[in-house]
Short mmCIF file of all heavy atoms in Angstrom, two decimals:
data_model
loop_
_atom_site.label_atom_id
_atom_site.label_comp_id
_atom_site.label_asym_id
_atom_site.label_seq_id
_atom_site.Cartn_x
_atom_site.Cartn_y
_atom_site.Cartn_z
N HIS A 194 -44.25 -56.61 49.73
CA HIS A 194 -45.64 -56.18 49.56
C HIS A 194 -45.79 -54.73 49.99
O HIS A 194 -45.22 -54.30 50.98
CB HIS A 194 -46.58 -57.03 50.41
CG HIS A 194 -46.84 -58.38 49.82
ND1 HIS A 194 -47.77 -58.58 48.83
CD2 HIS A 194 -46.28 -59.59 50.08
CE1 HIS A 194 -47.78 -59.87 48.51
NE2 HIS A 194 -46.88 -60.51 49.25
N ILE A 195 -46.61 -54.02 49.23
CA ILE A 195 -46.97 -52.67 49.65
C ILE A 195 -48.47 -52.56 49.88
O ILE A 195 -48.98 -51.50 50.21
CB ILE A 195 -46.54 -51.62 48.60
CG1 ILE A 195 -47.16 -51.95 47.25
CG2 ILE A 195 -45.03 -51.56 48.50
CD1 ILE A 195 -46.99 -50.83 46.23
N CYS A 196 -49.16 -53.69 49.68
CA CYS A 196 -50.61 -53.68 49.91
C CYS A 196 -50.89 -53.76 51.41
O CYS A 196 -50.04 -54.16 52.19
CB CYS A 196 -51.27 -54.86 49.19
SG CYS A 196 -50.65 -56.47 49.72
N GLN A 199 -50.49 -57.38 53.26
CA GLN A 199 -49.24 -57.99 53.71
C GLN A 199 -48.09 -56.99 53.69
O GLN A 199 -46.94 -57.36 53.43
CB GLN A 199 -48.87 -59.17 52.80
CG GLN A 199 -49.90 -60.26 52.78
CD GLN A 199 -49.48 -61.39 51.87
OE1 GLN A 199 -48.53 -62.10 52.16
NE2 GLN A 199 -50.16 -61.53 50.75
N CYS A 209 -48.33 -59.43 43.12
CA CYS A 209 -49.48 -59.48 44.03
C CYS A 209 -50.56 -58.55 43.49
O CYS A 209 -50.30 -57.38 43.22
CB CYS A 209 -49.04 -59.05 45.43
SG CYS A 209 -50.43 -58.75 46.54
N PHE A 211 -53.13 -57.29 44.90
CA PHE A 211 -53.48 -56.19 45.80
C PHE A 211 -52.46 -55.06 45.68
O PHE A 211 -52.82 -53.87 45.70
CB PHE A 211 -53.56 -56.68 47.24
CG PHE A 211 -54.62 -57.72 47.45
CD1 PHE A 211 -54.29 -59.05 47.64
CD2 PHE A 211 -55.97 -57.36 47.45
CE1 PHE A 211 -55.27 -60.02 47.83
CE2 PHE A 211 -56.96 -58.32 47.63
CZ PHE A 211 -56.61 -59.65 47.82
N CYS A 212 -51.20 -55.44 45.56
CA CYS A 212 -50.15 -54.43 45.39
C CYS A 212 -50.33 -53.71 44.06
O CYS A 212 -50.26 -52.48 43.99
CB CYS A 212 -48.77 -55.08 45.42
SG CYS A 212 -48.26 -55.64 47.04
ZN1 ZN B 600 -49.34 -57.42 48.15
#
Side-chain angles (χ1 to χ4, degrees):
H194 283 278
I195 56 169
C196 59
Q199 300 180 69
C209 168
F211 298 107
C212 288

